[in-house]
Every structure is written in C-alpha cells, then in structure tokens.
Amino acid sequence: MSANSRLTIAAHTLAWIGLYQRQGHAVATSEQIAGSANTNPVVIRRLLGELREAGLVESRRGGGAGWSLTRDLKAMTLLDVYDAIEPGPLFALHRADPDQGCVIGHGIQPALQDVYAGIECTVRQELSKTTLEDVLQAVLAVPR
C-alpha cells in the first residue's frame, strides 16, 4: 500500500499560485504548476477542479486563461484542502460485512471504529491549525 500524495500536491499547487499572484501575475496555468510539482498537468487540472468545487480557486477561460485563488492563503487551512480533495473517512472498514460467525469477523469492526474515529478527529484538528500561508512561509524559509 502506498501513501497518498494528493494533499501534498494540492498544498503545493495552492502555495505556488499564491506566490505567483504575489509576484504580480493574475493567473497560473496547470502546466506551470505541474513543472514545479514535477507531475503531469492533467493531475494538476484534476486537483484544481476539485479545489474549484470547494471554492478555493477559480478559473478563467479564453485569453489570459488560468487559475487564481478565491481568497488569501491566510484564510485557507490544510483542512480546507483535505476536505476538498479527500471525500470520506481516512480509514474505512470492510466493504462487505465480515463473517459474523467468526470471532474476529464479528468483533473487528466495533473494535476499530472508535480507534479510526479518534485518528480522524486528531488529523482534522492538526490540519485545521495550519494555513496555506504557514505552508508558504515554511517553504520560503527552507535554505536553497
């Protein structure tokens, strides 16, 4: 099982757009962002579509097409980004009910529900403490 990097790529995207706008540019293209993230522009466009649905970015078509933030990075938290791109719980139980005749099958879901709920609560609390401005400032503080 591999780790999910969607939150990281989405935070990268928003921080990049925020910095680019501060440098006087009105919009950023998915190709520009993809170059920074070293990924395919299609990946960026898909994430941007989800971020647009959540109201974090907007797009322009035609001449001067591209993406811009809908609000300041100080007003966006990692939780906002997470909620935009990661629907559903962090951990899931079985897709089909396990064998209720088996002692493990019968008890595994109740045993893990509270654990998973506690983890989810902690993750959400931690993500809500960090704004995208915090992320950008930490990025800019990394020595080159």
Side-chain angles (χ1 to χ4, degrees):
M1 197 178 317
S2 64
N4 184 338
S5 63
R6 286 172 44 85
L7 179 60
T8 301
I9 300 299
H12 184 136
T13 297
L14 293 168
W16 198 96
I17 294 171
L19 180 61
Y20 196 62
Q21 286 181 304
R22 286 182 190 175
Q23 294 170 339
H25 305 278
V27 296
T29 68
S30 56
E31 288 79 11
Q32 292 169 314
I33 301 162
S36 175
N38 195 25
T39 192
N40 191 300
V42 172
V43 171
I44 300 300
R45 281 192 288 274
R46 286 183 185 140
L47 277 174
L48 284 165
E50 294 174 62
L51 296 169
R52 178 180 50 212
E53 287 178 23
L56 301 177
V57 297
E58 59 190 4
S59 60
R60 288 189 198 163
R61 296 179 185 254
W67 298 87
S68 60
L69 302 178
T70 58
R71 57 187 191 224
D72 192 84
L73 293 175
K74 292 176 187 170
M76 285 186 226
T77 67
L78 285 175
L79 180 58
D80 296 326
V81 181
Y82 176 78
D83 284 341
I85 64 166
E86 296 294 344
L90 190 59
F91 296 108
L93 298 173
H94 303 80
R95 292 178 192 250
D97 286 337
D99 179 359
Q100 295 300 297
C102 168
V103 66
I104 301 299
H106 176 75
I108 192 72
Q109 289 182 332
L112 292 177
Q113 272 179 323
D114 288 344
V115 173
Y116 290 173
I119 292 168
E120 184 82 25
C121 183
T122 300
V123 167
R124 294 182 69 75
Q125 286 174 349
E126 288 302 310
L127 292 175
S128 72
K129 293 178 186 178
T130 304
T131 68
L132 270 290
E133 180 66 30
D134 297 332
V135 171
L136 178 58
Q137 292 308 312
V139 166
L140 295 175
V142 174
R144 291 184 62 130

